[in-house]
Amino acid sequence: METIKQMQNSLIFVKLAESGSFSGAGKALGISKSQVSKALKALEEDLGVTLLNRNTRQIHLTERGRQYLSHCQQAVNLLESGKTELLATAREPRGNLRVTMAGVFSEKFIAPCLIQMAKKYPHLNVQAHFDSRVVNILENNFDVAIRIGNLPDSSLRSKKIGTREEVILASPQYLKNVSIETPSDLKKANCIGVEAEWTLRRSGKNIKLDVKGNFRSNNPRVMVEALLKGLGVAKLPIAYVEQELKKGKLVSILEEYREPAKDIWFITPHKIKHNHNVELFYEELMQFLEKNGQGEIF
């Protein structure tokens, strides 16, 4: 107990010597000037030497005081160095980071961010799992799920990280032969894709349409290729076709009937701050999206 008290008094002595006054040391340490004085007196009695000569205005280290201060400062620096090293090691990501996802948004933004993290943190074991099914992240031991659309009520924690918007589009050559100006015109078009019923929206109201087409695929990249070949009309997320739209290879139609954008979610079993790897992933992902995304809509 006496040793602990002496260590405490020694630290007060260091602050006193560095600040040059009892009031300055007390302010820096959050204690009173009299407490600083008592600590110095107790330390000098324990050591059996005079560490400071003082008058009403100034303090001066004795020769013994300078020697002891040097040893104390070395000890303080060693403690600070150990603390810094320990915190750095504790904050370095280690162990597993398992993420389940699907779609082009994950291919273009989530996976590259995870690759960047794996390169940056060699002790982090990153697992990027693609699955079109909605995987139970608790049963399958995933740390994070990236999902799009409305979320069912659950105990899972979620944060919105962006939105996804779909467009109805076709190639210019296809539209030369088939005029599509209203939703009813889609009935005469070759509507390709997975769904046989399309949902459009105008003035806050949904419009359901049964559509027909002679080509089906659940692979959006294949659908883009089919559109470029002039096969028909499709409904796809902007992320798959942004370059083709910019270059004029594909044309967005029925803009006023476009469905509202769907939210993209970062989902975890527990609060993000309860898992350092997950917290770091969220922070780096948001930075990655801000740097590489096209605004909030993908």
Side-chain angles (χ1 to χ4, degrees), residues 16 20-22 36-42 44 49-62:
L16 174 59
S21 71
F22 286 85
V36 176
S37 180
K38 288 178 182 178
L40 176 63
K41 182 179 179 181
E44 288 180 327
V49 298
T50 299
L51 298 172
L52 289 176
N53 290 320
R54 56 268 200 196
N55 56 33
T56 55
R57 293 186 178 182
Q58 293 180 315
I59 61 172
H60 299 279
L61 288 166
T62 65

Side-chain angles (χ1 to χ4, degrees), residues 284-295:
E284 298 223 357
L285 177 60
M286 296 311 294
Q287 293 173 8
F288 188 89
L289 292 177
E290 183 177 353
K291 182 179 179 181
N292 298 284
Q294 305 294 322

